Each structure stands twice: as C-alpha cells, then as structure tokens.
Amino acid sequence: MKDCLFCKIVNKEISANIIYEDKNSIAFLDAFPASIGQSLVIPKKHSFYIFDSNDEEYSNLFLIAKKIAKAIDKSLKPLRTAIVVEGFMVQHVHIRLHPCYDKHLNFKQLEPKPSNEELEKIAKKIKSAL
C-alpha cells in the first residue's frame, strides 16, 4: 500500500532497526517503545486484518514472533515478553512484542525516547541471540 508506514519499511523507503527478515516477514524495533526492546513483527505483504491471512501466513508470523521473543528474553532478560496483535494505529497487521521488566504490562511510551544509537545497540543485542 502506497501510504502505509510499514510497507515503506518493507520497501526500505524508511529506515528501521531490523532484527530479522525473510521473504515473507520482517521484525524491527518499535520506534516508539513502551519498554526497552519492544519489537514489531509484520508480514511483508500488506494486510489489514490478521484473520484474513491464510493458515501458512498466520502460522509463520507467529513462529517468527516466538523466535524474536526468545531472542529478546535471552539478550535483554525481561521477566517475560508479552504479545499483542493489532493493526489500528498503523493499518498493517503487526505483532507487537513487549518485554516486561515489571509484573505489569506498560503501554505508555518511554520518556525520554531511546536515541537511535541506543536502538541500534538493542537491535544488535537481540540479533546476536537469534
């Protein structure tokens, strides 16, 4: 989709801290995280509603999310990593992985926002655990 932010990331029109990429999906750090290491896993093919995905696309996306969550757990040591599936703020299916360092899930954006250098370091740390 022409104006979709995530499609622009997929097409490399906008830069992102990419953690993982294959022919069907891409995972990258959320630019506006609520926790350190918050990541997004998206299908490369634009889709508005996850339940419109065929079984293979659906399963693959969740398997990639599990792989990224395990790498977050190993590299950043949260208590656990939570998962949220949405597509409202950006009209493109995305699985949001929230590392939880506290017993409660926080959706409030980190202040101050991590710098690009900090995000790059976090992305490298997660990628090294894959």
Side-chain angles (χ1 to χ4, degrees), residues 1 4-8 10 24 26 41-50 86-95:
M1 215 174 164
C4 174
L5 174 68
F6 289 168
C7 288
K8 289 180 179 184
V10 168
N24 299 312
I26 189 168
V41 181
I42 68 168
K44 285 186 171 180
K45 181 175 106 180
H46 185 83
S47 178
F48 173 74
Y49 187 50
I50 193 147
E86 61 172 299
F88 291 104
M89 293 295 285
V90 176
Q91 301 281 312
H92 187 121
V93 168
H94 52 288
I95 295 176

Side-chain angles (χ1 to χ4, degrees), residues 74-118:
K74 184 177 178 182
S75 62
L76 302 178
K77 309 284 190 239
L79 295 175
R80 66 177 55 184
T81 298
I83 187 171
V84 176
V85 179
E86 61 172 299
F88 291 104
M89 293 295 285
V90 176
Q91 301 281 312
H92 187 121
V93 168
H94 52 288
I95 295 176
R96 186 180 305 163
L97 299 173
H98 285 272
C100 298
Y101 301 96
D102 202 343
K103 290 185 180 179
H104 303 283
L105 187 58
N106 176 25
F107 288 106
K108 186 178 176 193
Q109 184 179 329
L110 286 176
E111 293 291 336
K113 181 183 168 226
S115 69
N116 287 338
E117 293 79 22
E118 291 172 307

Side-chain angles (χ1 to χ4, degrees), residues 17-21 27-29 37 39 68 72 123 126-127 130:
N17 290 292
I18 296 172
I19 299 166
Y20 175 88
E21 184 172 8
F28 50 93
L29 289 182
S39 302
I68 302 304
I72 290 169
I126 296 169
K127 283 167 88 169
L130 284 172

